[in-house]
Amino acid sequence: MKKLFWVGSFGVLLTAIAWAEEPGKVLPVKDAQATDAASMKPYKELIEHTNASLELLPIPGGKFQMGSPETEPGRRADEGPVHEVEISPFWMGKYEITWDVYDVWMSDLDVFAREVNQLQETTRDKLADTYQKSQPTKPYCDMSFGMGLKGYPAICMTQHAARTFCKWLTAKTGRYYRLPTEAEWEYACRAGTTSAYSFGDDPALLEEYAWFEDNSEEKYQKVGRKKPNPWGLYDMHGNVAEWVLDEHQPEGFLLDKLRKKNPLLVPMVLYPRVVRGGGWDKSAADCRSAAKEGSTEDWIAQDPQVPVSIWYLTDALHVGFRVVRPLEEPTAEEKEKLWEYSEPILKERPVPLER
């Protein structure tokens, strides 16, 4: 046990050293550095050249029972069997990613500000431009569908778009961000609880914590307006469902293919992939901690483009995401094999930046 702890701590130390040896690649931000779980603090990530930012909260590592018992009302087959999972420490977005942040990437707002103000591009800007200037392509309509922008969650992105946003955010800040795994998401949602929701088993209390079909007025709402879960995370139940990295298995967890520590079912098909948390147009049962939904081709049914866009889901108005940052950054090989691997490989012909 002591040896495992030492190895883990040594890995974090190496990460810290690597960070210190790469001047210019990391945007200095107060409280964003930690050498172990005990020193992790909440911090605000800044999006350079803009007023946009996002808040991150430390999530302690630990073990939990993933999935729902067969006796839980509303339970579906894909939520079982219940099994023990171990999760390493990470930071997680306090809120779902809002249009304020997402639009910086989607519409090149920081690039535009840089050019208008004649600011010299930084090392981080050059790296971030790789994931930005030619992607995503322009949407054919307002992807908020009139439900609101400032302070509202971004929606209608494909998992590929959310993954690419994370790569851009990583390059832009120098800190490694990605989508959560399904296990990390449920662990953070439960926040140490074992009930159907992070506040207990009574769905009558859901209106205090979530926007869902009974109180959303048929649209998403500004983030952070309801009560948080015990670890301070907002809107884990309802508002918008959130992309995670895993492929969806309708028959339940494939325990023979999943590791007990930091499990991930690497997606090998485009559909279905998992979103968690329910959404503004979902029932109370759909917003339980263990509930999930698999993506389908119906989510892009109205896309008029041929071939259909790899960036936008025209019919997934309830789907958004939030980001995580592991305390111990994985190696490049681990990223390639696990956290950033996805089949089929989606590519689109780069197009010139137009304004």
Side-chain angles (χ1 to χ4, degrees), residues 211-270:
W211 299 105
F212 63 114
E213 65 177 2
D214 287 2
N215 66 355
S216 68
E217 300 180 347
E218 299 183 348
K219 60 181 181 180
Y220 60 43
Q221 301 291 332
K222 286 190 174 182
V223 301
R225 294 294 182 90
K226 293 293 186 180
K227 292 181 179 178
N229 78 357
W231 286 350
L233 300 167
Y234 288 81
D235 302 312
M236 294 298 283
H237 304 298
N239 209 19
V240 294
E242 299 174 14
W243 279 117
V244 296
L245 290 173
D246 301 59
E247 182 178 314
H248 181 241
Q249 292 295 322
E251 66 274 23
F253 295 107
L254 301 179
L255 297 186
D256 58 331
K257 294 185 177 180
L258 293 171
R259 302 179 302 182
K260 292 184 178 180
K261 183 175 183 180
N262 300 323
L264 165 67
L265 187 60
V266 175
M268 301 302 290
V269 294
L270 190 54

Side-chain angles (χ1 to χ4, degrees), residues 66-133:
M66 186 171 183
S68 63
E70 294 182 3
T71 54
E72 184 168 297
R75 186 220 193 229
R76 301 187 185 93
D78 60 358
E79 300 171 23
V82 175
H83 58 289
E84 185 176 87
V85 168
E86 182 175 358
I87 299 294
S88 299
F90 61 96
W91 286 271
M92 188 175 215
K94 186 176 181 178
Y95 309 109
E96 293 151 342
I97 291 292
T98 63
W99 285 113
D100 309 61
V101 178
Y102 194 73
D103 209 27
V104 174
W105 170 67
M106 191 176 87
S107 302
D108 298 331
L109 298 184
D110 59 327
V111 178
F112 183 75
R114 216 166 65 209
E115 294 177 356
V116 168
N117 296 307
Q118 299 183 333
L119 301 175
Q120 185 173 0
E121 62 181 4
T122 66
T123 300
R124 297 179 295 277
D125 291 330
K126 293 176 182 176
L127 293 171
D129 284 354
T130 304
Y131 305 104
Q132 184 172 23
K133 282 190 173 180

